[in-house]
mmCIF file of all heavy atoms in Angstrom:
data_model
loop_
_atom_site.group_PDB
_atom_site.id
_atom_site.type_symbol
_atom_site.label_atom_id
_atom_site.label_comp_id
_atom_site.label_asym_id
_atom_site.label_seq_id
_atom_site.Cartn_x
_atom_site.Cartn_y
_atom_site.Cartn_z
ATOM 1 N N ILE B 103 59.034 3.511 15.689
ATOM 2 C CA ILE B 103 58.747 4.957 15.490
ATOM 3 C C ILE B 103 59.965 5.633 14.814
ATOM 4 O O ILE B 103 59.867 6.394 13.855
ATOM 5 C CB ILE B 103 58.420 5.648 16.809
ATOM 6 C CG1 ILE B 103 57.074 5.102 17.363
ATOM 7 C CG2 ILE B 103 58.326 7.126 16.657
ATOM 8 C CD1 ILE B 103 56.800 5.435 18.807
ATOM 9 N N ALA B 104 61.167 5.301 15.340
ATOM 10 C CA ALA B 104 62.394 5.951 14.798
ATOM 11 C C ALA B 104 62.580 5.539 13.327
ATOM 12 O O ALA B 104 63.005 6.392 12.528
ATOM 13 C CB ALA B 104 63.600 5.512 15.615
ATOM 14 N N GLY B 105 62.197 4.280 12.978
ATOM 15 C CA GLY B 105 62.278 3.908 11.564
ATOM 16 C C GLY B 105 61.441 4.787 10.702
ATOM 17 O O GLY B 105 61.875 5.258 9.668
ATOM 18 N N PHE B 106 60.194 4.998 11.100
ATOM 19 C CA PHE B 106 59.277 5.833 10.296
ATOM 20 C C PHE B 106 59.768 7.299 10.269
ATOM 21 O O PHE B 106 59.637 7.968 9.246
ATOM 22 C CB PHE B 106 57.853 5.717 10.770
ATOM 23 C CG PHE B 106 57.164 4.451 10.374
ATOM 24 C CD1 PHE B 106 56.810 3.495 11.281
ATOM 25 C CD2 PHE B 106 56.983 4.168 9.024
ATOM 26 C CE1 PHE B 106 56.234 2.340 10.930
ATOM 27 C CE2 PHE B 106 56.375 2.960 8.637
ATOM 28 C CZ PHE B 106 56.012 2.071 9.565
ATOM 29 N N VAL B 107 60.283 7.757 11.421
ATOM 30 C CA VAL B 107 60.773 9.133 11.376
ATOM 31 C C VAL B 107 61.934 9.309 10.381
ATOM 32 O O VAL B 107 61.986 10.282 9.625
ATOM 33 C CB VAL B 107 61.274 9.558 12.789
ATOM 34 C CG1 VAL B 107 62.016 10.882 12.752
ATOM 35 C CG2 VAL B 107 60.074 9.651 13.744
ATOM 36 N N THR B 108 62.841 8.291 10.335
ATOM 37 C CA THR B 108 63.896 8.316 9.380
ATOM 38 C C THR B 108 63.389 8.361 7.976
ATOM 39 O O THR B 108 63.910 9.093 7.109
ATOM 40 C CB THR B 108 64.811 7.098 9.582
ATOM 41 O OG1 THR B 108 65.167 7.051 10.962
ATOM 42 C CG2 THR B 108 66.090 7.247 8.783
ATOM 43 N N MET B 109 62.350 7.580 7.700
ATOM 44 C CA MET B 109 61.757 7.591 6.331
ATOM 45 C C MET B 109 61.269 8.964 5.984
ATOM 46 O O MET B 109 61.520 9.458 4.889
ATOM 47 C CB MET B 109 60.604 6.590 6.247
ATOM 48 C CG MET B 109 61.051 5.168 6.175
ATOM 49 S SD MET B 109 59.614 4.107 6.104
ATOM 50 C CE MET B 109 60.181 2.686 6.983
ATOM 51 N N VAL B 110 60.497 9.614 6.903
ATOM 52 C CA VAL B 110 59.973 10.909 6.658
ATOM 53 C C VAL B 110 61.081 11.932 6.404
ATOM 54 O O VAL B 110 61.050 12.756 5.524
ATOM 55 C CB VAL B 110 59.050 11.398 7.821
ATOM 56 C CG1 VAL B 110 58.672 12.856 7.686
ATOM 57 C CG2 VAL B 110 57.763 10.540 7.856
ATOM 58 N N GLN B 111 62.163 11.789 7.284
ATOM 59 C CA GLN B 111 63.343 12.650 7.138
ATOM 60 C C GLN B 111 63.918 12.557 5.703
ATOM 61 O O GLN B 111 64.218 13.554 5.060
ATOM 62 C CB GLN B 111 64.387 12.257 8.116
ATOM 63 C CG GLN B 111 64.321 12.980 9.474
ATOM 64 C CD GLN B 111 65.429 12.508 10.379
ATOM 65 O OE1 GLN B 111 65.641 11.380 10.590
ATOM 66 N NE2 GLN B 111 66.130 13.490 10.933
ATOM 67 N N MET B 112 64.081 11.281 5.232
ATOM 68 C CA MET B 112 64.718 11.074 3.970
ATOM 69 C C MET B 112 63.823 11.594 2.842
ATOM 70 O O MET B 112 64.267 12.205 1.886
ATOM 71 C CB MET B 112 65.031 9.595 3.743
ATOM 72 C CG MET B 112 66.112 9.098 4.671
ATOM 73 S SD MET B 112 66.189 7.309 4.663
ATOM 74 C CE MET B 112 67.505 7.049 3.504
ATOM 75 N N LEU B 113 62.487 11.376 2.957
ATOM 76 C CA LEU B 113 61.567 11.818 1.955
ATOM 77 C C LEU B 113 61.600 13.387 1.833
ATOM 78 O O LEU B 113 61.693 13.929 0.719
ATOM 79 C CB LEU B 113 60.157 11.398 2.255
ATOM 80 C CG LEU B 113 59.781 9.939 1.928
ATOM 81 C CD1 LEU B 113 58.399 9.606 2.452
ATOM 82 C CD2 LEU B 113 59.851 9.732 0.392
ATOM 83 N N LEU B 114 61.513 14.047 2.991
ATOM 84 C CA LEU B 114 61.565 15.518 2.976
ATOM 85 C C LEU B 114 62.858 16.043 2.423
ATOM 86 O O LEU B 114 62.887 17.009 1.668
ATOM 87 C CB LEU B 114 61.292 16.064 4.384
ATOM 88 C CG LEU B 114 59.884 16.101 4.880
ATOM 89 C CD1 LEU B 114 59.773 16.771 6.231
ATOM 90 C CD2 LEU B 114 59.001 16.845 3.883
ATOM 91 N N HIS B 115 63.973 15.361 2.859
ATOM 92 C CA HIS B 115 65.279 15.825 2.454
ATOM 93 C C HIS B 115 65.428 15.705 0.887
ATOM 94 O O HIS B 115 65.976 16.582 0.280
ATOM 95 C CB HIS B 115 66.357 14.910 3.104
ATOM 96 C CG HIS B 115 67.718 15.494 3.042
ATOM 97 N ND1 HIS B 115 68.213 16.277 4.007
ATOM 98 C CD2 HIS B 115 68.648 15.365 2.098
ATOM 99 C CE1 HIS B 115 69.437 16.638 3.709
ATOM 100 N NE2 HIS B 115 69.755 16.147 2.571
ATOM 101 N N ALA B 116 64.779 14.702 0.374
ATOM 102 C CA ALA B 116 64.913 14.462 -1.107
ATOM 103 C C ALA B 116 63.984 15.394 -1.891
ATOM 104 O O ALA B 116 64.380 15.933 -2.916
ATOM 105 C CB ALA B 116 64.601 13.006 -1.457
ATOM 106 N N TYR B 117 62.715 15.517 -1.446
ATOM 107 C CA TYR B 117 61.723 16.167 -2.327
ATOM 108 C C TYR B 117 61.407 17.616 -1.844
ATOM 109 O O TYR B 117 60.965 18.409 -2.658
ATOM 110 C CB TYR B 117 60.446 15.322 -2.360
ATOM 111 C CG TYR B 117 60.708 14.036 -3.048
ATOM 112 C CD1 TYR B 117 60.727 12.820 -2.371
ATOM 113 C CD2 TYR B 117 60.972 13.983 -4.408
ATOM 114 C CE1 TYR B 117 61.005 11.628 -2.980
ATOM 115 C CE2 TYR B 117 61.195 12.822 -5.104
ATOM 116 C CZ TYR B 117 61.205 11.607 -4.393
ATOM 117 O OH TYR B 117 61.499 10.449 -4.972
#
Side-chain angles (χ1 to χ4, degrees):
Chain B
I103 295 167
F106 284 114
V107 170
T108 309
M109 284 179 213
V110 170
Q111 270 181 308
M112 291 166 99
L113 281 174
L114 280 184
H115 196 92
Y117 295 107

